């Protein structure tokens, strides 16, 4: 009986250690401590970074460093910064998890993507 009990307690302890059980165990701290604003620079007809990964609720700010106007326009039409003039910026908040390809309506060869991960 004692041995069984010890085994059970040890097992429970291991599960606790792995953070799998018990409402008594403290929740692990989230690495993501609130919404962030991430930047994409548009320069020399390129989005940089071309792939940006963020968390649900984060925003992206595109800034145009070219003389030509650009846009960041979702390929499926769900969102669009509209025209961003030279030295202008536009911000969009992402609340939906997924992978979003986008391009510039003025220069359709300019392509990039946003990856939104869950909180
Ligand atoms: Cu463009």
């Amino acid at each position: 009986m004692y041995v069984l009990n010890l085994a059970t307690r040890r097992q429970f302890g291991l599960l606790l250690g792995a953070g799998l059980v018990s409402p008594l165990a403290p929740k692990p701290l989230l690495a993501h401590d609130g919404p962030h604003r991430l930047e994409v620079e548009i320069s020399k007809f390129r989005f940089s970074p071309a792939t940006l990964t963020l968390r649900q609720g984060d925003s992206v700010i595109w800034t145009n460093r070219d003389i030509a106007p650009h846009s960041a326009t979702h390929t499926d039409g769900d969102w669009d910064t509209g025209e961003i003039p030279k030295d202008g910026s536009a911000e969009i908040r992402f609340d939906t998890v997924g992978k979003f390809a986008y391009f510039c309506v003025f220069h359709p060869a300019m392509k990039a993507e946003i990856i939104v991960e869950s909180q």
Side-chain angles (χ1 to χ4, degrees), residues 17-114:
L20 297 175
V21 170
S22 184
L24 299 174
K27 285 190 173 180
L29 287 175
L30 293 174
H32 193 66
D33 54 359
H36 292 179
R37 302 167 85 206
L38 298 118
E39 304 205 19
V40 172
E41 186 176 82
I42 313 173
S43 177
K44 297 173 182 162
F45 294 80
R46 284 191 185 151
F47 296 103
S48 180
T51 299
L52 181 63
T53 302
L54 49 110
R55 299 289 188 127
Q56 240 178 326
D58 287 349
S59 298
V60 178
I61 301 167
W62 285 267
T63 300
N64 181 9
R65 299 297 181 202
D66 283 338
I67 292 169
H70 295 297
S71 78
T73 304
H74 181 222
T75 304
D76 294 339
D78 289 344
W79 48 268
D80 186 3
T81 60
E83 179 177 336
I84 308 172
K86 177 182 184 290
D87 292 327
S89 293
E91 180 170 351
I92 289 180
R93 185 175 132 159
F94 290 86
D95 290 321
T96 307
V97 170
K99 196 169 172 178
F100 303 99
Y102 68 93
F103 67 108
C104 170
V105 288
F106 303 102
H107 316 96
M110 292 174 62
K111 293 175 183 173
E113 67 180 355
I114 302 287

